[in-house]
Amino acid sequence: MLHLRLIVPADRTDDVVRLLEGTVGATHLIVMPGAAREPAGDVVLCDVAREAGDGLLGELRALGLDEHGSIAVDDIGLSLSKRADRAEAEAPGEGADAVLWEHLTDATHEESTLSVTFLAFLTIATMIAACGVVLDNAVLIVGAMAVGPEFGPLAGLCTALVRRAPRLAARSGVALIVGFVVAMVLTTGFSVLMDAFGLFSRDLLDADRPNTDFIWKPDMFSFVVAVLAGIAGTLSLTSAKSGALVGVAISVTTVPAAANAAVALGYGEVEQMVGSSEQLLLNLAGIVVAGTLTLLVQRWLWARRG
């Protein structure tokens, strides 16, 4: 269930109330006349089944509430109410299959913005992965993949392609490109510094690395895994099952590939640098293609059910 808190201009309250009363899956309607001060208006509260949420949000925006009032939506963790149970049963479809497009766009907008925090996480993850590839340490590689924040802008790019949102696409693309360039440049400097302290060496990079040499040797399995991870990651976002994102993060080698390319660049190892870059691009492409197709299929299935 979703909880909606609406600030409604007084002259539109009747329209909003009629809309909520006529929405299958909506219940627990509360109207508080004149309760809002900024912006001024009435406060309307209600609960709605998740599967009815996207259509309702679209109609509320059509009434101008996003411009002249406010629409706030929260997930309800627990609702002990027979009315709520009945509302969920009456709403068409299953809540787990419903996509809240407004929520998805808002969430990916925040996660795909280039910021100091995003750059810091991506750079730190790449440096951890650099230690992992030089030491052939799979634990460090997994840790680096879990820390990396790159799925946010990837999801933003998928959402932008499906919703035809050029601004979100541009923001996501800038975050990815600038983020990886900055992280790789700083990691190259980090590897040079580690070499100066005797902690990294060319011999370690060129030695047999049975645990991590796959990072710079891309093959079709790399693309297949990226596609599967893109599907799983998109489903975890649209179904609000964010726990699956951790598994997605440690399934693809975007950050380790960037790290291996950065270290190889520091030592002038062209073959490893090229291979790692191909691995990085292959993973990014696989996630974007799979994520976009997943969203398109979800939209098509939900439209047919509606």
Side-chain angles (χ1 to χ4, degrees):
M1 292 291 287
L2 303 172
H3 177 67
L4 272 62
R5 187 202 68 212
L6 312 174
I7 298 178
V8 186
D11 60 341
R12 306 188 190 194
T13 300
D14 290 342
D15 292 335
V16 170
V17 170
R18 278 194 295 269
L19 171 62
L20 296 175
E21 289 177 336
T23 298
V24 176
T27 186
H28 301 156
L29 177 61
I30 300 172
V31 180
M32 295 183 285
R37 293 293 181 267
E38 177 55 42
D42 303 331
V43 174
V44 179
L45 307 176
C46 77
D47 298 336
V48 63
R50 181 181 176 86
E51 50 269 42
D54 189 64
L56 178 57
L57 290 176
E59 292 185 82
L60 289 171
R61 292 193 67 181
L63 291 174
L65 259 62
D66 55 330
E67 296 181 6
H68 304 289
S70 172
I71 304 173
V73 183
D74 290 316
D75 283 303
I76 299 176
L78 175 64
S79 179
L80 302 177
S81 166
K82 290 188 178 297
R83 287 182 177 274
D85 294 340
R86 186 163 58 248
E88 287 190 305
E90 291 174 350
E94 294 294 332
D97 297 332
V99 180
L100 296 177
W101 291 101
E102 296 295 340
H103 178 270
L104 180 62
T105 302
D106 184 70
T108 52
H109 177 280
E110 181 179 350
E111 295 294 328
S112 63
T113 300
L114 183 65
S115 64
V116 174
T117 301
F118 175 82
L119 289 175
F121 270 111
L122 188 56
T123 299
I124 291 170
T126 308
M127 289 180 177
I128 294 173
C131 296
V133 297
V134 171
L135 299 176
D136 193 35
N137 188 316
V139 174
L140 291 176
I141 294 297
V142 172
M145 289 190 287
V147 172
E150 72 279 8
F151 191 79
L154 287 170
L157 192 55
C158 296
T159 304
L161 292 174
V162 172
R163 302 210 72 186
R164 299 178 182 179
R167 289 186 179 180
L168 180 57
R171 182 181 294 107
S172 302
V174 168
L176 279 174
I177 296 172
V178 175
F180 272 110
V181 168
V182 170
M184 292 171 70
V185 169
L186 292 177
T187 300
T188 300
F190 171 75
S191 66
V192 172
L193 182 64
M194 294 289 280
D195 182 84
F197 282 104
L199 298 174
F200 283 8
S201 70
R202 181 187 292 267
D203 291 338
L204 288 174
L205 185 67
D206 291 337
D208 290 335
R209 292 184 284 146
N211 294 319
T212 58
D213 63 357
F214 69 93
I215 291 171
W216 61 279
K217 296 177 180 178
D219 53 25
M220 281 307 299
F221 278 108
S222 301
F223 185 76
V224 170
V225 171
V227 167
L228 295 175
I231 296 172
T234 302
L235 290 175
S236 71
L237 285 177
T238 57
S239 64
K241 298 184 182 297
S242 58
L245 282 177
V246 177
V248 173
I250 61 178
S251 299
V252 291
T253 54
T254 49
V255 167
N260 201 95
V263 176
L265 176 62
Y267 287 115
E269 293 283 350
V270 177
E271 183 181 4
Q272 287 201 36
M273 183 180 67
V274 172
S276 300
S277 300
E278 291 177 352
Q279 179 80 276
L280 174 61
L281 295 175
L282 198 62
N283 277 270
L284 294 176
I287 292 174
V288 171
V289 169
T292 303
L293 291 177
T294 301
L295 289 176
L296 287 172
V297 170
Q298 285 182 293
R299 187 171 68 175
W300 177 73
L301 289 174
W302 195 257
R304 287 193 62 188
R305 178 169 298 179

